[in-house]
Amino acid sequence: MAEYTDPHCDRAAEDMPELSDGDDDEYDGDEEQWQCMDEEEEEYSQTVTCLFCDRSLSSVPATLQHCTAEHQVNLVDVIKQHNLDDYGYIKMINFIRSTKCDASCLTGLPDAPLPWESEDFLRPVLQDDPLLQTDPEELCDRESSLSACPSSGAESHNAVLQRAQAAEERACRSEEALARAMDDLHKLKLLAQGLVLNAETSRSGNLGTVAELRDDEDEAYFSSYGHYSIHEEMLKDKVRTESYRDFMYRNPEVFRDKVVLDVGCGTGILSMFAARAGAKKVIAVDQSEIIYQAMDIVRSNQLEDKITLIKGRIEDISLPVEKVDIIISEWMGYFLLFESMLDSVLYARDLYLADGGSVYPDLCNISLAAVGDTQKHQDRIAFWNDVYGFNMACMKKAVVPEAVVEVVKADTLISEPTVIQMIDCNRVCLSELEFASEFCLKITDTTDCTAIVGYFDIFFDKGCSNKVMFSTGPQVTKTHWKQTVFLLERPVSVRAGEELKGKITVRKNKKDPRSLLVTFDLQDRKLTYSLQ
């Protein structure tokens, strides 16, 4: 069998910096001697609130002793009596704290069912509760382990001094080891940065797509959509929501007796529009916690016979059908492509969309325009020249590369808009979502160009007798997407009638494929902005 070798690994091995050698043997002699003391120091650095009264104790063992002496309940005996595992122990602690039950309630409990069987008791009552951070097995073994450690009261004065001196020597050795470790960490960080920035893709078609992200890597993205405020903002965006509604309600022939997939369903509003428009079956998919509210919403509107909701990433789940006729999704992010949710829609399209089916919205474009807003430039850029009498101009290098999402006043536009990219969601390939495009902005005012603004337009077109579209540009009703502003550190002088030419490159950030890197080649400048 041929052996696979990775040339990047070979180069990494060659470039591996020389790291310090840790001398583990020097700690072997006194490791056991200090084990008990280490445990005591950790335990006694916590403040624990009693389970049955308001008293605060200095450690977990002190709390258990207090419960036994003052409330006549031995929690270790309760753990052993009911063979509580980690989850059972956590539930018991949260049950006691949430119900504020009397200690006597824990005596004479039946073997099953226990009053804390509900999964609700997995939710912590106290933030960072030390009792929840304690292993129940360690509690049960504590008596034997403590007996192995000598009592401080029985030690002589000289023994205490010897232990203190040994502790000081051990601390010095630890500081030296920490310094070596920090130096090694810095070397490895530099190596890792070089590998990430310079590594070529090793998998076929690898574009750093969201399909390749692990759950833990993508957790922050989906967690953000678990908050209700973001869904309220989107639902209250009438331009967005009513456009989807009008598309479906005014084109019932598109949905009649069709199987529909809603990718990233959120509260389920698009799924319910589709069901009301005549869809035979709707499958709604979302990874965020909002899916549980969507289930309640669907039941509240008596649509559970038509709408099936599934929690998970579309890339990770299996649908209950082989093919669907329509895919609907509100996947658009700032500057259209931020968040890379279109990647997931295209994944679903390629895997589940039947021949002759369609993705909606099916067409979209990205446009640019020149902005001349001297006051905004003063507020954002020139501001750093004099901040309460201090020169902070170095901050510009950090501020300018961050694209700004905000509402741009229409009267600050100083050029006609130009479309830089058209996307057909039924035909586009994943690789085409990273692109470069030359542009030409026809200037309408003689002034300074202080920024370039980007926005997008959306179209519901294929097979529609009543076509629907909406824009997120500065000239129309604002949406929650607002516009994306790329500030110029040094404004460009322009004259009415002339053309401002340039090139824009849009690509995913390799370190985070849900964020974007946008580069402008404008006159003699090369400016790169991040959208994250």
Side-chain angles (χ1 to χ4, degrees):
M1 181 180 293
E3 181 179 0
Y4 173 78
T5 60
D6 188 342
H8 303 302
C9 293
D10 294 338
R11 186 168 67 241
E14 294 173 1
D15 296 340
M16 177 63 71
E18 183 177 351
L19 306 180
S20 62
D21 294 326
D23 189 359
D24 294 335
D25 294 338
E26 64 180 289
Y27 295 107
D28 292 342
D30 59 356
E31 182 176 352
E32 293 182 4
Q33 174 185 353
W34 289 98
Q35 183 176 0
C36 294
M37 179 175 286
D38 288 341
E39 292 175 355
E40 290 171 3
E41 289 173 354
E42 291 177 3
E43 290 168 356
Y44 284 90
S45 64
Q46 299 171 315
T47 299
V48 189
T49 302
C50 175
L51 291 167
F52 305 105
C53 66
D54 295 332
R55 184 171 173 182
S56 294
L57 288 306
S58 60
S59 67
V60 170
T63 304
L64 298 179
Q65 185 177 4
H66 167 78
C67 290
T68 302
E70 299 295 330
H71 303 288
Q72 290 74 52
V73 60
N74 189 320
L75 291 179
V76 174
D77 289 346
V78 175
I79 294 170
K80 292 179 178 179
Q81 179 183 352
H82 299 288
N83 296 317
L84 298 183
D85 58 10
D86 291 348
Y87 289 109
Y89 168 73
I90 291 172
K91 289 180 181 180
M92 177 187 72
I93 297 298
N94 290 325
F95 166 78
I96 297 171
R97 292 208 186 278
S98 61
T99 61
K100 296 180 170 47
C101 67
D102 189 80
S104 59
C105 295
L106 299 184
T107 59
L109 287 173
D111 291 337
L114 295 170
W116 51 79
E117 293 291 340
S118 172
E119 299 297 311
D120 292 339
F121 294 117
L122 286 173
R123 184 179 294 108
V125 176
L126 293 183
Q127 191 71 19
D128 299 325
D129 189 343
L131 285 173
L132 298 181
Q133 301 167 11
T134 304
D135 188 337
E137 290 186 9
E138 291 182 3
L139 291 180
C140 295
D141 296 339
R142 187 173 298 278
E143 292 180 4
S144 58
S145 65
L146 287 177
S147 63
C149 293
S151 170
S152 60
E155 292 178 329
S156 68
H157 178 67
N158 289 335
V160 172
L161 289 178
Q162 290 175 359
R163 291 179 64 179
Q165 184 178 4
E168 185 175 355
E169 294 174 356
R170 188 165 179 261
C172 291
R173 293 198 300 270
S174 297
E175 288 179 359
E176 294 171 358
L178 178 60
R180 292 195 301 270
M182 293 297 292
D183 184 58
D184 291 346
L185 181 61
H186 179 67
K187 293 177 183 177
L188 291 173
K189 181 179 179 181
L190 294 176
L191 174 65
Q193 287 175 343
L195 291 174
V196 169
L197 292 175
N198 298 321
E200 298 175 356
T201 55
S202 59
R203 286 177 286 183
S204 174
N206 182 344
L207 291 174
T209 61
V210 296
E212 295 164 354
L213 290 174
R214 301 190 308 271
D215 286 347
D216 58 330
E217 292 175 319
D218 224 10
E219 182 180 359
Y221 168 71
F222 288 109
S223 294
S224 69
Y225 282 93
H227 299 289
Y228 307 129
S229 58
I230 192 170
H231 295 280
E232 180 180 354
E233 180 184 25
M234 291 189 293
L235 291 170
K236 286 181 176 179
D237 184 342
K238 289 189 175 183
V239 173
R240 162 202 181 265
T241 308
E242 291 182 359
S243 294
Y244 276 88
R245 181 200 63 188
D246 293 346
F247 150 63
M248 288 186 252
Y249 284 5
R250 293 177 184 176
N251 297 280
E253 69 279 2
V254 174
F255 287 86
R256 188 173 298 119
D257 296 327
K258 296 294 196 299
V259 178
V260 178
L261 171 62
D262 182 357
V263 179
C265 66
T267 57
I269 186 68
L270 303 188
S271 296
M272 294 188 290
F273 284 158
R276 289 273 173 89
K280 175 175 63 177
K281 182 179 183 64
V282 182
I283 303 167
V285 178
D286 204 304
Q287 166 68 347
S288 72
E289 299 296 310
I290 196 67
I291 190 99
Y292 298 118
Q293 276 66 44
M295 293 174 181
D296 292 337
I297 292 169
V298 167
R299 284 192 292 268
S300 298
N301 289 275
Q302 293 80 50
L303 291 171
E304 63 268 28
D305 58 329
K306 285 192 174 183
I307 301 175
T308 299
L309 295 109
I310 302 175
K311 186 179 189 302
R313 297 198 316 165
I314 190 67
E315 295 87 353
D316 299 334
I317 65 170
S318 296
L319 297 187
V321 297
E322 288 189 7
K323 295 294 180 180
V324 298
D325 303 300
I326 293 171
I327 296 176
I328 55 173
S329 179
E330 195 277 77
W331 53 265
M332 298 81 75
Y334 301 133
F335 200 57
L336 187 66
L337 297 176
F338 176 64
E339 292 183 345
S340 295
M341 188 178 166
L342 182 54
D343 291 27
S344 297
V345 175
L346 299 187
Y347 177 93
R349 179 200 68 185
D350 295 343
L351 189 61
Y352 294 114
L353 189 63
D355 293 340
S358 183
V359 175
Y360 291 105
D362 53 316
L363 301 175
C364 48
N365 64 42
I366 303 175
S367 296
L368 297 179
V371 176
D373 191 339
T374 306
Q375 184 59 51
K376 184 71 70 176
H377 190 274
Q378 172 70 30
D379 293 342
R380 288 277 171 76
I381 307 299
F383 163 77
W384 297 104
N385 292 332
D386 184 354
V387 182
Y388 298 101
F390 296 97
N391 182 352
M392 296 189 182
C394 58
M395 283 292 294
K396 294 180 185 179
K397 299 299 181 184
V399 172
V400 172
E402 291 186 353
V404 180
V405 176
E406 64 183 7
V407 175
V408 173
K409 296 178 181 178
D411 60 9
T412 64
L413 298 180
I414 59 170
S415 79
E416 296 177 1
T418 185
V419 175
I420 59 162
Q421 184 74 344
M422 290 283 299
I423 295 176
D424 182 341
C425 295
N426 287 302
R427 297 178 181 273
V428 70
C429 299
L430 196 61
S431 60
E432 295 172 336
L433 301 184
E434 295 184 300
F435 62 89
S437 174
E438 294 184 350
F439 62 87
C440 180
L441 301 175
K442 186 174 181 180
I443 302 299
T444 57
D445 291 308
T446 300
T447 183
D448 285 339
C449 176
T450 59
I452 303 294
V453 62
Y455 60 92
F456 60 88
D457 302 324
I458 297 297
F459 303 86
F460 302 89
D461 186 87
K462 183 179 178 181
C464 297
S465 56
N466 295 292
K467 301 182 189 301
V468 176
M469 67 84 59
F470 68 88
S471 176
T472 64
Q475 313 92 329
V476 295
T477 305
K478 71 175 183 179
T479 68
H480 78 281
W481 287 287
K482 305 174 185 177
Q483 291 86 42
T484 303
V485 179
F486 306 97
L487 290 164
L488 304 178
E489 182 177 353
R490 291 182 289 116
V492 177
S493 295
V494 293
R495 298 181 64 84
E498 71 178 20
E499 294 178 338
L500 181 61
K501 297 181 179 180
K503 179 182 178 182
I504 182 173
T505 303
V506 178
R507 65 189 190 276
K508 295 182 177 73
N509 187 337
K510 289 183 179 180
K511 297 180 182 179
D512 176 13
R514 291 200 181 276
S515 62
L516 294 178
L517 295 175
V518 180
T519 300
F520 286 92
D521 289 288
L522 196 62
Q523 295 185 345
D524 59 342
R525 312 178 197 179
K526 191 179 188 72
L527 310 167
T528 298
Y529 301 84
S530 64
L531 193 58
Q532 56 190 4

